[in-house]
Amino acid sequence: MSTAHTYSRDVFSAHAESLSKLSARMVRGSEVLELGPASGYFTRILKEALQCKVDAIEIDANMAQKAKPYCRDLHVADLDTLDWNALWPARRYDAIIAADVLEHLRFPERALQALLRRLKPEGKLLISLPNIAYAGMIFGLLEDDFRYRAEGLLDHTHLRFFTRTTLEEVLSKAGWGVTWRGEVGKDLYEAEFHTRLETWPPAVRDFVCNHPNRRAYQLLCECVPQVRLKTGMPTVDAAAAGPPQFAARLMWAAQPEAISFERGATVFGEIGSDAQVLQWKLPEAATYVRIRLADRPGYMHLHKLVVQTGVGTAQDIALAQCELSPDAMQSDGALLFSNDEPWLALPTGQYPAGTTIAVHCGWPMSGDYEKAGRALNALRAAQDRHVQLLSSDIAQATARADTFEKNMLAHEAIISERDTQLVERARHVAHLETLITERERIIIERDGQLSAVNSRASDAEQALNALRTESEISANALQAHLHALEAQNAHLKTLRGWVRTKLSS
């Protein structure tokens, strides 16, 4: 939260600002924790008018000094970084007030969760903050204008922006349930955006302005912890809810063929009010004037139609003098609209610039509306019962999810251990595969060597067989030669004996 600007408010202003509405929901004599009291303009009301005991947390030391006289205790700290457990740990409060605070925080969810533990059993949380869905903001965006300012919706210290829906989503996620909704409205011409509605196409203007949340400049709510939330929708501030409305539009031209929706002005009437005036002032002269009486089917009492072209020249126009669209049926001074474009054309004539046209009428809250209201209440009650059942189912599912998560963590630990074992086993298998591959390589190498040895052995055997055959042949030849030599030797011996015989004789 920036401290560059000093905030000050008139709590009980005629405009019923957020703080006056929040103070109306306070109980006299309460123990209160106020977040971001600034200079203490609301703290003083809590202490002096409501007799409350106020503890406060403020980020700006200078403003804290101004608020301190109205506080029992005041702590200077940033709510985004505050150690909630260390600050007044034993204190519990009847009410906690976060008026224009959450939008200044980076982490409002953290603060909201911490605040759950700071309430008494019947305590409550009161919140106000800017509505980023305000109609002036939307028109500003459409006009390409997103400009930060010293104060307002685009205060330069705002870090978070909320609509009614997103605020309640954040509260729900942090454990809070809404028991009351309120708002502070602001006329578009009083807001900082200076929107000129007349420059916008009527369809766009009607769409933006008719949405109920677009009129709220600030959003208010009262919350309790969800565990204490009772059956039923939150109560709604009457000013915040507002009556249902219908849009009526005046259009003008020189002749009927030239009439167009773009050339006109819209006013809003209340559904449920039987005495009201829809009034326009012509910005330029025209001869043909048409009024689109409503933007929806319905039932309208037309009490009087008055045209005033100058001072003291008011003239009542009878319905019989006017032209009605085919979908607007007349019956006993009332009109029944069967679709969303019923119109009435004034008698053709001269209508100078500045002419005032007033439709005195009523739009009763019909039996259909009552029936729809009862049906809506029944639907809301059924929705609340369904929400309770869903909350119970969610709690049971959360418990089952917690158990499942614990089981999953244990299972994941087992899986992690198994994965480690598998990695080790894979490493061992890879080592074995390397050994097997090496062994296969050696076997293949040895098989090659053995094949070579076998081949050489076969060649040697063949050579040996040839040598054996040759040796046998040589031996046989030698044997024959020896036989021949023996024969010759025997012959010689015989011849030697004959010679010796001859010699001796």
Side-chain angles (χ1 to χ4, degrees), residues 373-394:
R374 290 194 298 270
L376 180 59
N377 289 334
L379 180 62
R380 284 174 172 173
Q383 185 181 30
D384 289 337
R385 291 192 296 272
H386 184 58
V387 167
Q388 283 187 324
L389 291 174
L390 284 179
S391 298
S392 176
D393 291 343
I394 289 171

Side-chain angles (χ1 to χ4, degrees), residues 131-142 153 188 193 195 197 208-209 211 213-217:
N131 176 27
I132 197 65
Y134 175 62
M137 182 73 220
I138 294 175
F139 283 120
L141 287 172
L142 293 174
L153 294 183
L188 286 173
F193 300 99
T195 299
L197 289 179
V208 174
C209 294
H211 194 289
N213 286 337
R214 302 294 180 261
R215 297 189 293 270
Y217 188 78

